[in-house]
Amino acid sequence: MVDVGDKSITRRTARAEVRVRMASATAEALRAATLPKGDALVTAQLAGIMAAKQTANLIPLAHPLPLSSVEVTFGWEEEAVLRIESRAITDGKTGVEMEALVAASVAALTIYDMSKALEKGIEITELRLIEKTGGKSGDWRRPA
Amino acid sequence: MVDVGDKSITRRTARAEVRVRMASATAEALRAATLPKGDALVTAQLAGIMAAKQTANLIPLAHPLPLSSVEVTFGWEEEAVLRIESRAITDGKTGVEMEALVAASVAALTIYDMSKALEKGIEITELRLIEKTGGKSGDWRRPA
Amino acid sequence: MVDVGDKSITRRTARAEVRVRMASATAEALRAATLPKGDALVTAQLAGIMAAKQTANLIPLAHPLPLSSVEVTFGWEEEAVLRIESRAITDGKTGVEMEALVAASVAALTIYDMSKALEKGIEITELRLIEKTGGKSGDWRRPA
Amino acid sequence: MVDVGDKSITRRTARAEVRVRMASATAEALRAATLPKGDALVTAQLAGIMAAKQTANLIPLAHPLPLSSVEVTFGWEEEAVLRIESRAITDGKTGVEMEALVAASVAALTIYDMSKALEKGIEITELRLIEKTGGKSGDWRRPA
Amino acid sequence: MVDVGDKSITRRTARAEVRVRMASATAEALRAATLPKGDALVTAQLAGIMAAKQTANLIPLAHPLPLSSVEVTFGWEEEAVLRIESRAITDGKTGVEMEALVAASVAALTIYDMSKALEKGIEITELRLIEKTGGKSGDWRRPA
Amino acid sequence: MVDVGDKSITRRTARAEVRVRMASATAEALRAATLPKGDALVTAQLAGIMAAKQTANLIPLAHPLPLSSVEVTFGWEEEAVLRIESRAITDGKTGVEMEALVAASVAALTIYDMSKALEKGIEITELRLIEKTGGKSGDWRRPA
């Protein structure tokens, strides 16, 4: 774990996204919140937020971070493609890219878990950083 | 968390895969193990295995499982596309799909973490179950 | 941690309850799901279930248990008294009283957390075991 | 998890209390430290302190906090009513109400676990915040 | 994590020991339980037991195990040499050597933590397995 | 957990060491990385780093710390004595002695786990603090 002691404490944000591709019937069930295990979107949102707080325990060389905020939101892009977006903020010494990616990732995995009785072929895809701000390396935005 | 008490203890396996798409220079650095943070593949392998053991803490309604085995392996599919495959085995009452998916997912996230000083645009994609065996619902294989 | 090796693996259940006493305005906000932090009841339900899986890490001498099921449900007893009931099931060697009590307890604490911007005086009270079944010591029911 | 980045780092304290109501024989055994599992009060004290450090992992939307201090103390209020008081201190951006409540709560649950071979009907009751200081919302004291 | 699915469920035990060498004044303070942080031996005992339950999260390739029992005991060997012995039991598919070693190790580290205000030079030494029983590889005892 | 609120945030470092004594054949296998479980040194290094981040969860009265850096390195002292050195850095309010000791300790335990199929008699010995810097109590170095 590289030394970040000399870095300054500044506001750093990161946004990530991921897509969950499923069959139409699964998407219907998700939207109607009629899955056997309950409301998948609310569950996935909380799972993503809680997982972000575990980032330093999951990613071996990640630094523990004082998270100021984590958000996970959902939107249907196509009839059966759920887009998950996460945003993490810290006022700390290292970036929060990993926290945002972990939140999006575990939210998507939870959607899979809640839906797998209906469909095992669900695909989690295009997990990527959208944007980061703050820190010495400066801001970064995914090219369009 | 639905009751699995009536399910029988049988051998259950699951295999999952995921792809990490990156720039050529990042792939070169990964293969040469010259990344600033050390050998990313070994680190990602251990991170995936350890995360599989945390599945019930990450996925809200997942049952705790006595894992008999977890494996994470790597292969270069194209010059700059790393394919990660995971396999989880239990002798328990519920399937290990989530354990395999979590292992693949956290292994991929660790590759991202180890490489992000070089490239922020890395994409983690096509995370999916390949196969599951055992249990009352029987075997399942992803259609070709 | 006393030796439970000689105990037999049988189905064991436990039910616990707890009450959360609050001001009328807080109860209104909870029912309308208009609290600033979101839907408190769904969040509390998931928090209780996830905490039950952490019982052996929270209670020093508790044995790790293969939980078969955890449920957390809510009901308004009076206009401003929320009753939380939890039920835990294992097919294991020790009872699940602690798992049920932890689930009810953390669900109630989460209600507090979600409501504390409105009211700091909320009281969590009458946390108790209602019933246990299974195991050598036999069934137990709280006297009326 | 709401953004606390703009909040200032100040000293914040919180005190909570809870009561454990039991049969006279259980109270006797607790005072004499003759319970089969060992000295329940020392165990409960450590369990409460360690649980306070897990608050952000137990309460879904709680922020991780740099705890400066946690204390758990005991006193017999009546012959068979044990009162547990906890105090948490942080020099951080959010209050420590939840840390104090979690400490008191898990200390009480541990008393239950240590005593349950003697008595299953023990009741954990009147868990509440007594006082908080620091932060923008100012000090608060439970009305007498 | 190698596959243990074919192994049979049998009773397996392991005992480990470790020594903590300190200055006479530190040993005095430990025996008198007058250390600033409280009774170090009770704290170390609980820390060792709780750490044993975390073995699979600490040791990357260790299998999760259903622990039936963990014990940690203390004895003064010389005037300023504390000997800690741990015993772990499982009815499972893999040995509990690591659980016993982790318990002894974390108990010793806790002694260090409780005493370090008095003496930084304390040495933790001769951590070793004493005995294991059960499993296909049979019993093993440390040669005298 | 004693109150550290009045302490100032300064750079604090700690270095610890431990020795793993084994049979020649085990040492050979470790050096050749031909152990059945894989490359033990890399695994032990990561295990030590990850365990350092868990220090406050393992050691009951340890304060949670924002770790700036953790390092674990290896060297063969004699033909069959592996020396592990760890270094931890924080920019915080309390020392990182425990983090360094935990890192060294868990790295050594992981070496044991990776080698135990070959040799059960491996001894982990002479775990001690080498040096600490920073903080009000000033610097400390182990006398030669």
Side-chain angles (χ1 to χ4, degrees):
Chain A
M1 230 167 79
V2 299
D3 188 1
V4 298
D6 289 339
K7 297 196 177 187
S8 53
I9 294 180
T10 58
R11 165 144 290 215
R12 295 153 196 265
T13 71
R15 286 194 303 130
E17 66 174 358
V18 66
R19 281 170 183 79
V20 187
R21 295 175 187 278
M22 62 194 82
S24 299
T26 311
E28 277 310 307
L30 271 176
R31 276 190 290 263
T34 57
L35 286 168
K37 285 188 166 189
D39 189 333
L41 265 51
V42 177
T43 306
Q45 187 183 44
L46 289 169
I49 291 169
M50 294 181 82
K53 297 192 259 185
Q54 295 300 328
T55 300
N57 299 334
L58 293 171
I59 309 298
L61 303 188
H63 291 82
L65 259 190
L67 276 169
S68 297
S69 162
V70 185
E71 282 174 22
V72 175
T73 52
F74 302 92
W76 289 95
E77 266 201 346
E78 296 168 45
E79 192 257 342
V81 178
L82 180 69
R83 180 177 174 275
I84 305 177
E85 184 171 324
S86 62
R87 194 172 66 130
I89 307 180
T90 191
D91 296 85
K93 293 186 168 195
T94 54
V96 278
E97 295 96 311
M98 294 317 300
E99 280 72 11
L101 287 163
V102 165
S105 191
V106 172
L109 287 163
T110 300
I111 295 288
Y112 188 99
D113 181 55
M114 303 290 283
S115 315
K116 71 178 192 289
L118 252 70
E119 180 190 2
K120 301 213 178 329
I122 294 171
E123 189 176 78
I124 296 172
T125 197
E126 292 151 69
L127 171 64
R128 48 200 186 189
L129 194 68
I130 308 175
E131 183 188 79
K132 75 174 277 289
T133 70
K136 208 183 69 180
S137 70
D139 297 354
W140 178 90
R141 243 160 230 93
R142 174 168 288 273
Chain B
M1 231 167 78
V2 298
D3 188 2
V4 298
D6 290 338
K7 296 195 177 188
S8 52
I9 294 180
T10 57
R11 166 143 289 214
R12 295 154 196 265
T13 72
R15 285 194 303 130
E17 66 175 357
V18 67
R19 282 169 182 80
V20 187
R21 296 174 185 279
M22 61 194 82
S24 298
T26 311
E28 277 311 307
L30 270 176
R31 276 189 291 262
T34 57
L35 286 167
K37 286 189 165 187
D39 189 332
L41 265 51
V42 177
T43 306
Q45 187 183 43
L46 289 169
I49 291 169
M50 294 181 81
K53 297 192 260 186
Q54 295 299 328
T55 300
N57 299 334
L58 292 170
I59 309 298
L61 303 189
H63 290 83
L65 259 190
L67 275 170
S68 297
S69 163
V70 186
E71 282 174 23
V72 175
T73 53
F74 302 92
W76 289 96
E77 266 201 346
E78 296 169 45
E79 191 257 341
V81 178
L82 180 69
R83 180 176 173 277
I84 306 177
E85 182 171 325
S86 62
R87 194 172 65 131
I89 307 181
T90 191
D91 296 85
K93 294 187 170 192
T94 54
V96 277
E97 294 98 310
M98 293 317 300
E99 280 73 11
L101 287 164
V102 165
S105 190
V106 172
L109 288 163
T110 300
I111 296 288
Y112 188 99
D113 182 54
M114 304 289 283
S115 315
K116 71 178 192 288
L118 253 70
E119 180 192 2
K120 300 213 177 330
I122 293 171
E123 189 176 80
I124 296 171
T125 196
E126 292 153 67
L127 170 64
R128 48 199 186 191
L129 194 69
I130 308 175
E131 184 186 78
K132 74 173 280 285
T133 70
K136 208 183 69 179
S137 71
D139 296 355
W140 178 88
R141 245 162 228 90
R142 174 169 289 273
Chain C
M1 230 166 80
V2 299
D3 189 1
V4 297
D6 290 339
K7 296 196 177 187
S8 52
I9 293 180
T10 57
R11 166 145 289 217
R12 295 154 196 266
T13 72
R15 285 193 304 130
E17 66 174 358
V18 67
R19 283 170 182 78
V20 187
R21 296 175 185 277
M22 62 195 81
S24 297
T26 311
E28 276 311 306
L30 271 176
R31 276 190 290 264
T34 56
L35 286 168
K37 285 188 165 188
D39 188 334
L41 265 51
V42 177
T43 306
Q45 187 183 44
L46 289 169
I49 292 169
M50 294 180 82
K53 297 192 260 185
Q54 295 300 326
T55 300
N57 300 333
L58 293 171
I59 309 298
L61 302 188
H63 290 83
L65 260 190
L67 275 170
S68 297
S69 162
V70 186
E71 282 173 22
V72 175
T73 53
F74 302 91
W76 290 94
E77 265 200 347
E78 296 169 43
E79 191 258 340
V81 179
L82 181 68
R83 182 178 172 275
I84 305 178
E85 184 173 324
S86 62
R87 194 173 65 133
I89 307 179
T90 191
D91 295 85
K93 294 186 169 195
T94 54
V96 278
E97 294 97 311
M98 293 317 299
E99 280 72 10
L101 287 164
V102 165
S105 191
V106 172
L109 287 163
T110 301
I111 295 288
Y112 188 99
D113 181 54
M114 303 289 284
S115 315
K116 70 178 193 288
L118 252 69
E119 181 191 3
K120 300 214 179 328
I122 293 171
E123 190 176 78
I124 295 171
T125 197
E126 292 152 67
L127 171 64
R128 49 198 185 191
L129 194 68
I130 309 175
E131 183 189 78
K132 75 173 279 288
T133 71
K136 207 183 70 179
S137 71
D139 296 353
W140 178 89
R141 244 162 228 93
R142 174 170 289 272
Chain D
M1 231 166 79
V2 298
D3 189 1
V4 298
D6 290 338
K7 297 195 177 187
S8 52
I9 293 181
T10 58
R11 167 144 289 215
R12 294 153 197 266
T13 72
R15 286 194 304 129
E17 65 176 358
V18 67
R19 281 169 182 79
V20 187
R21 295 174 185 279
M22 62 195 81
S24 298
T26 311
E28 277 311 306
L30 271 176
R31 276 190 290 264
T34 57
L35 286 168
K37 286 188 164 187
D39 189 332
L41 265 50
V42 178
T43 306
Q45 188 182 43
L46 289 169
I49 291 169
M50 294 181 82
K53 297 192 259 186
Q54 295 300 328
T55 300
N57 300 334
L58 292 170
I59 309 298
L61 303 189
H63 290 84
L65 259 190
L67 275 169
S68 296
S69 163
V70 186
E71 282 173 23
V72 175
T73 53
F74 302 92
W76 290 96
E77 266 201 346
E78 297 169 44
E79 191 257 342
V81 178
L82 181 68
R83 181 177 174 276
I84 306 177
E85 183 172 325
S86 61
R87 195 172 65 132
I89 308 181
T90 191
D91 295 85
K93 294 188 169 193
T94 54
V96 279
E97 294 98 308
M98 294 317 300
E99 280 72 12
L101 288 163
V102 165
S105 189
V106 172
L109 288 163
T110 300
I111 295 289
Y112 188 100
D113 182 54
M114 304 289 282
S115 315
K116 70 178 193 286
L118 252 70
E119 180 192 3
K120 301 213 178 330
I122 293 171
E123 189 176 81
I124 296 171
T125 196
E126 291 152 66
L127 170 64
R128 48 199 186 191
L129 193 68
I130 308 175
E131 185 188 78
K132 75 174 278 288
T133 70
K136 209 183 69 180
S137 71
D139 297 353
W140 178 90
R141 244 163 229 91
R142 174 169 290 273
Chain E
M1 232 165 79
V2 298
D3 189 1
V4 298
D6 289 339
K7 296 195 176 187
S8 53
I9 293 180
T10 57
R11 166 145 290 214
R12 295 154 196 267
T13 72
R15 285 194 305 129
E17 65 175 358
V18 67
R19 281 169 183 78
V20 187
R21 294 174 187 278
M22 62 194 81
S24 298
T26 311
E28 276 312 306
L30 270 176
R31 277 190 289 266
T34 57
L35 287 167
K37 285 188 165 187
D39 188 332
L41 265 52
V42 177
T43 306
Q45 187 183 44
L46 289 169
I49 291 169
M50 293 180 83
K53 297 192 259 185
Q54 296 299 329
T55 300
N57 300 333
L58 292 171
I59 309 299
L61 303 190
H63 290 83
L65 260 188
L67 275 169
S68 297
S69 162
V70 185
E71 281 173 23
V72 174
T73 54
F74 302 91
W76 290 95
E77 265 199 348
E78 296 169 44
E79 191 257 342
V81 178
L82 180 69
R83 180 177 175 275
I84 305 177
E85 183 172 325
S86 61
R87 195 172 65 130
I89 307 180
T90 191
D91 296 85
K93 294 187 169 191
T94 54
V96 278
E97 295 97 311
M98 294 316 300
E99 279 74 10
L101 288 163
V102 165
S105 190
V106 171
L109 288 163
T110 301
I111 296 288
Y112 188 99
D113 181 54
M114 303 289 283
S115 315
K116 70 177 194 289
L118 252 70
E119 181 192 2
K120 301 215 178 326
I122 293 170
E123 190 176 80
I124 295 171
T125 196
E126 293 151 67
L127 171 64
R128 50 200 185 190
L129 194 68
I130 308 174
E131 184 189 79
K132 73 174 278 289
T133 70
K136 209 182 69 180
S137 70
D139 296 354
W140 178 89
R141 243 162 231 91
R142 174 169 288 273
Chain F
M1 232 166 79
V2 299
D3 189 2
V4 298
D6 289 339
K7 297 196 175 186
S8 53
I9 293 179
T10 58
R11 166 145 290 216
R12 295 153 196 267
T13 72
R15 284 193 305 128
E17 65 175 359
V18 67
R19 283 170 181 77
V20 187
R21 295 175 187 278
M22 62 194 82
S24 299
T26 311
E28 277 311 306
L30 270 177
R31 277 190 289 264
T34 57
L35 286 168
K37 284 188 166 188
D39 188 334
L41 265 52
V42 177
T43 306
Q45 188 184 44
L46 288 169
I49 292 169
M50 294 181 82
K53 297 192 259 186
Q54 295 299 327
T55 300
N57 300 333
L58 293 171
I59 310 299
L61 302 189
H63 290 84
L65 260 188
L67 276 169
S68 297
S69 163
V70 186
E71 282 174 22
V72 175
T73 53
F74 303 90
W76 290 95
E77 265 200 347
E78 298 169 43
E79 192 257 341
V81 178
L82 180 69
R83 181 177 174 276
I84 306 178
E85 184 173 324
S86 61
R87 195 172 65 130
I89 307 180
T90 190
D91 295 85
K93 295 188 168 193
T94 54
V96 278
E97 295 97 311
M98 294 316 301
E99 280 73 11
L101 287 163
V102 165
S105 191
V106 172
L109 288 163
T110 300
I111 296 288
Y112 188 99
D113 181 55
M114 304 289 284
S115 315
K116 71 178 193 287
L118 252 70
E119 180 192 3
K120 299 212 178 330
I122 294 170
E123 190 177 79
I124 295 171
T125 197
E126 292 152 67
L127 171 63
R128 49 198 187 192
L129 194 67
I130 308 174
E131 184 189 78
K132 74 174 278 288
T133 70
K136 208 182 70 180
S137 70
D139 296 355
W140 178 89
R141 244 162 229 91
R142 174 169 289 273

